[in-house]
Amino acid sequence: MKKYTQAGNYQTFGVTVDKDGGAMFTFEVQTKAQPEIHLFDRATKAPVDVIALPPEYSFGRVYSVYVAGYAWDRLCYLLKRDDEVAVDPYAPVTVGREVWMNEGRIAEGYKIYGGFPSGAYRWKAKPVQIAPEKMILYKLHLRGYTMANGLAPTKRGNYRGILAKLPYLKELGVTSLEFLPLYDFEEIRYQYHYEINADKKTVRVAEEPIGTNYWGYGAANYFAPKASYFGGKNPDIHMKEMVDAIHAAGMEVIMEIAFIPETPRDVMVDNLIYWIREYHIDGFHLLGIDLPIKRIAQNAYLGSTKIFYDSFPLELLQNESEPKRLFVTNDEFIYPLRRLQNHFDGNVAELSNYMRRQGDGYGFVNYAASNTGFTLWDAYSYGEKHNEGNGEDNADGNNYNCSHNHGCEGESANRLINQARISAMRTAFACVLLSQGVPLIFGGDEGANSQGGNNNPYCQDNEIGWTAFSRRKLPKQLREYVRHLIDFRKAHTVLSQSKPMQMTDYRHSGMPDLSYHGKEPWIMGIGEEKKALGILFNGYYTQSQNEEDIMVCLNFYYGEETFALPRLARDRRWFFVTNTGEAEWQPEEEPLSDQSLIVVPGGTISILVSKDNPTPAKKRRIRRKKPAAKKANA
């Protein structure tokens, strides 16, 4: 095919390849210096051609050119813009980081190139939209989640491992997967200095690697899938295969994107639209300082996309949206919970407010642990952070953890200590999964994964940062317990209402939709010293208006606490479901013998449900034999 160029259509930034084999390059410039496209051999990185763009290919500050006659699958490219040759920020594929932590890249100064898309992908599954009240969010690191999970070597650290874990996640009850960065970030942490070369020009010289950017936060190529995660040569196709498989399993894909401050705001908005259009992504958890969150939330193309962020402008939250798609996501839920559990002067009124928070047109995400802190197991196994391995003298990471080691710092062979830790985890999971917002589980917490007390493993691409699932008895019991909690939440929609609870009986059912109780029914006894509370969810305030009522009795005192049980309407009785102090989930088939109170052990939660009063068995009529006549004495 003859090589030629012509003016492009200016429609899409980056590069696209059409069915005729032509490539369209569109990019922005800041100065009048003539821009160029530099083509290289993909395998050797040897220069192949330089395409200079004349002014007639420009429209304002945008250049667009259609180029034909090249075998694009064998090439990669750089752009010369404003007298600098660098990678295209809109490049849909990157070349150079196909192998994770390839230290041999120092020879080229860790240079990367733009690559060309692989071609059309035929989608099999449609994008998934899970209603917010039905979401069970599960956050994971693609590489770390698949490195120490007993998978075959070909599935470790890449998308194939995620495909292998989908049945487990589905069985657990997960509806939405949130991934730490999947775009092509620079995983090698290195320093550089400047030198004067033979041409008396100042050049930047890269130095030896000093560590790993394991999480992926920092400068990145935001439009390209992470090449080392998705098979190297055709990462765009393999990422689409993963998203397609997740959708086929009935789950959503939420991408965490951490924009650095230098990222232009238009690029941020374009980036989100691109991931939706090209990869059918269902939502984004956005990180970064001073993001254009209002523009993002109001963008028409993002009108049905879920956006998770630490705080939204009040005017956005005051506007009810359908479907509900804005979700406040931060650490606020963690601290009231841990202060109570670990006796850091917490009070149950504060926690109860977080458990019932819900917006009319927006939502909240609740979690007890995330990647930016202790794992859930470590929160009850370490009293102090242990980040020495990060090389920062343990000065990094959050110093405010409200954690407790239960009498032993770190690993313990003491059976009672480990049982206490697991019990505390069951209580934390119960608080998250019995709350009105969207529950989030940090991947591996349901299996007691530990980071060895490191609460900031951003650089730990090893057993510290990898997710490990123990086969020991207690972690296996914990996973099963979490699965029961998720099933219980899904079966009782009163625990996940789409609108805020009013704490009134506006349907005239005989009880409010939500009410609080203490040692006396209907009396909470609010005070900072209070560490126990009964929460009653009225099952009549659901769509079916016929669900079981739920009583959740939280006791964060050291000792046991007695809770009054309100008298139920409609001739129902209270039935015991579980107490988080025990590993077993064995709902009782008979009502409580005492329907007026329940005693809850310290540091645990008891869950009760209401059911119709079982009809007593009919008494059988027993015919008694008449006594035989006494014989007369002989």
Side-chain angles (χ1 to χ4, degrees):
M1 184 178 179
K2 184 179 179 180
K3 296 180 181 179
Y4 70 92
T5 66
Q6 64 184 38
N9 59 19
Y10 305 94
Q11 293 180 355
T12 304
F13 282 102
V15 61
T16 59
V17 177
D18 64 20
K19 62 181 179 179
D20 297 323
M24 182 84 68
F25 297 83
T26 303
F27 54 91
E28 180 185 359
V29 298
Q30 295 294 330
T31 69
K32 293 183 179 180
Q34 185 181 38
E36 298 172 345
I37 300 171
H38 291 225
L39 299 178
F40 303 83
D41 182 273
R42 178 166 184 154
T44 66
K45 309 303 184 295
V48 171
D49 205 350
V50 175
I51 303 171
L53 275 60
E56 53 265 31
Y57 287 179
S58 67
F59 181 9
R61 295 200 312 271
V62 177
Y63 273 79
S64 186
V65 59
Y66 182 83
V67 182
Y70 294 87
W72 302 113
D73 60 334
R74 300 177 184 176
L75 301 176
C76 53
Y77 75 101
L78 295 174
L79 298 178
K80 182 180 180 182
R81 303 183 301 163
D82 312 322
D83 291 327
E84 180 184 8
V85 179
V87 67
D88 181 359
Y90 280 82
V93 175
T94 56
V95 176
R97 286 195 285 244
E98 291 86 352
V99 177
W100 175 267
M101 284 299 292
N102 179 11
E103 296 184 6
R105 291 173 51 218
I106 188 175
E108 285 198 0
Y110 307 105
K111 182 185 292 186
I112 61 167
Y113 304 79
F116 297 91
S118 303
Y121 176 81
R122 186 173 182 178
W123 292 90
K124 302 176 183 64
K126 294 181 179 180
V128 175
Q129 288 190 337
I130 305 295
E133 59 271 19
K134 295 182 179 180
M135 288 178 65
I136 305 293
L137 194 53
Y138 192 93
K139 185 176 184 179
L140 57 87
H141 186 289
L142 184 146
R143 175 175 170 82
Y145 195 74
T146 58
M147 287 297 292
N149 247 331
L151 296 173
T154 57
K155 298 179 180 179
R156 295 174 190 166
N158 60 64
Y159 77 103
R160 297 183 185 90
I162 296 298
L163 299 182
K165 296 300 294 183
L166 289 182
Y168 163 77
L169 295 166
K170 186 71 174 178
E171 182 183 10
L172 184 64
V174 173
T175 68
S176 311
L177 296 180
E178 177 182 332
F179 290 92
L180 269 74
L182 296 176
Y183 46 81
D184 202 53
F185 56 87
E186 178 57 80
E187 72 271 14
I188 297 179
R189 295 168 57 218
Y190 62 90
Q191 294 178 337
Y192 55 86
H193 64 273
Y194 290 93
E195 295 180 354
I196 304 296
N197 65 11
D199 297 328
K200 297 183 179 182
K201 292 184 178 180
T202 302
V203 294
R204 194 175 83 165
V205 179
E207 299 177 2
E208 293 290 332
I210 59 173
T212 306
N213 175 24
Y214 173 59
W215 284 349
Y217 301 157
N221 297 87
Y222 292 109
F223 290 80
K226 183 80 180 123
S228 61
Y229 286 178
F230 295 102
K233 183 67 184 297
N234 303 111
D236 51 344
I237 294 296
H238 295 316
M239 182 171 177
K240 290 176 181 178
E241 289 175 354
M242 186 190 78
V243 173
D244 214 0
I246 294 172
H247 285 163
M251 291 184 278
E252 294 177 307
V253 178
I254 310 297
M255 278 182 58
E256 187 175 82
I257 298 184
F259 290 115
I260 61 173
E262 296 79 8
T263 309
R265 295 192 165 204
D266 288 342
V267 173
M268 296 183 191
V269 178
D270 289 347
N271 183 247
L272 304 184
I273 297 172
Y274 176 81
W275 285 109
I276 296 169
R277 185 183 70 240
E278 288 296 320
Y279 291 91
H280 295 191
I281 299 301
D282 304 292
F284 302 99
H285 181 185
L286 301 179
L287 304 177
I289 300 173
D290 193 28
L291 302 187
I293 196 64
K294 189 172 181 180
R295 282 182 57 187
I296 291 170
Q298 294 178 337
N299 185 277
Y301 290 106
L302 303 173
S304 60
T305 301
K306 292 176 179 175
I307 305 295
F308 302 79
Y309 191 54
D310 59 357
S311 61
F312 291 91
L314 185 60
E315 62 266 27
L316 289 179
L317 300 182
Q318 289 176 336
N319 295 327
E320 294 189 24
S321 62
E322 290 295 340
K324 183 184 292 187
R325 60 187 188 87
L326 303 182
F327 301 89
V328 179
T329 307
N330 51 43
D331 290 345
E332 290 180 343
F333 189 90
I334 289 178
Y335 297 108
L337 173 61
R338 286 193 190 167
R339 282 197 294 267
L340 275 171
Q341 282 195 282
N342 296 329
H343 300 275
F344 281 79
D345 296 326
N347 74 83
V348 76
E350 182 184 17
L351 177 62
S352 66
N353 285 333
Y354 280 98
M355 290 182 69
R356 72 179 179 88
R357 62 180 182 168
Q358 184 65 284
D360 284 312
Y362 63 97
F364 292 89
V365 176
N366 301 321
Y367 51 90
S370 188
N371 61 299
T372 54
F374 279 139
T375 66
L376 199 57
W377 169 264
D378 287 356
Y380 307 109
S381 303
Y382 293 89
E384 300 171 347
K385 65 179 183 179
H386 295 269
N387 299 355
E388 291 81 4
N390 295 356
E392 301 182 39
D393 297 324
N394 204 31
D396 63 306
N398 193 352
N399 294 314
Y400 186 68
N401 296 289
C402 300
S403 59
H404 178 45
N405 65 20
H406 285 84
C408 176
E409 188 73 357
E411 292 188 17
S412 174
N414 187 297
R415 180 173 58 88
L416 295 179
I417 288 178
N418 289 327
Q419 287 179 341
R421 291 170 174 174
I422 291 289
S423 175
M425 294 180 72
R426 285 193 294 264
T427 297
F429 274 119
C431 285
V432 170
L433 288 162
L434 298 173
S435 298
Q436 288 293 302
V438 175
L440 181 147
I441 298 172
F442 181 46
D445 276 349
E446 78 280 11
N449 177 57
S450 175
Q451 293 171 173
N454 191 318
N455 74 350
N456 188 36
Y458 72 97
C459 56
Q460 298 293 339
D461 179 34
N462 49 45
E463 287 79 3
I464 293 175
W466 297 342
T467 305
F469 284 89
S470 172
R471 296 184 178 181
R472 292 176 298 171
K473 180 179 179 181
L474 289 181
K476 288 177 66 177
Q477 288 178 336
L478 178 63
R479 286 197 293 271
E480 187 66 10
Y481 197 88
V482 172
R483 186 179 65 81
H484 282 300
L485 277 170
I486 293 173
D487 289 344
F488 184 82
R489 177 185 180 86
K490 291 181 176 180
H492 298 85
T493 63
V494 71
L495 295 171
S496 54
Q497 300 285 62
S498 61
K499 300 293 183 181
M501 294 290 203
Q502 302 299 312
M503 301 186 72
T504 60
D505 186 17
Y506 57 89
R507 288 184 180 175
H508 312 292
S509 69
M511 294 192 306
D513 54 357
L514 177 70
S515 54
Y516 295 143
H517 308 266
K519 292 184 177 180
E520 298 292 334
W522 309 105
I523 300 176
M524 177 181 173
I526 299 176
E528 290 187 0
E529 77 287 355
K530 297 293 183 181
K531 292 178 173 54
L533 178 68
I535 306 175
L536 174 55
F537 300 89
N538 185 350
Y540 187 76
Y541 282 86
T542 58
Q543 188 172 2
S544 69
Q545 299 186 3
N546 193 36
E547 280 191 10
E548 299 170 339
D549 306 309
I550 299 174
M551 184 74 172
V552 179
C553 300
L554 305 94
N555 178 20
F556 294 102
Y557 289 111
Y558 283 112
E560 63 183 24
E561 185 77 1
T562 300
F563 294 82
L565 299 179
R567 181 176 296 178
L568 293 165
R570 306 187 296 278
D571 197 30
R572 289 186 170 185
R573 295 291 183 270
W574 288 115
F575 287 72
F576 179 81
V577 175
T578 188
N579 174 265
T580 59
E582 301 293 334
E584 300 296 327
W585 184 284
Q586 293 181 334
E588 293 186 1
E589 297 181 358
E590 297 294 330
L592 295 176
S593 57
D594 190 340
Q595 289 284 309
S596 64
L597 60 85
I598 185 173
V599 178
V600 179
T604 70
I605 295 174
S606 286
I607 304 174
L608 310 175
V609 297
S610 71
K611 294 182 181 181
D612 292 334
N613 187 24
T615 303
K618 293 183 179 179
K619 293 183 178 180
R620 289 182 297 167
R621 295 182 63 183
I622 301 177
R623 295 189 178 187
R624 298 181 180 274
K625 294 182 179 180
K626 294 182 179 180
K630 293 183 178 180
K631 294 183 179 180
N633 291 333

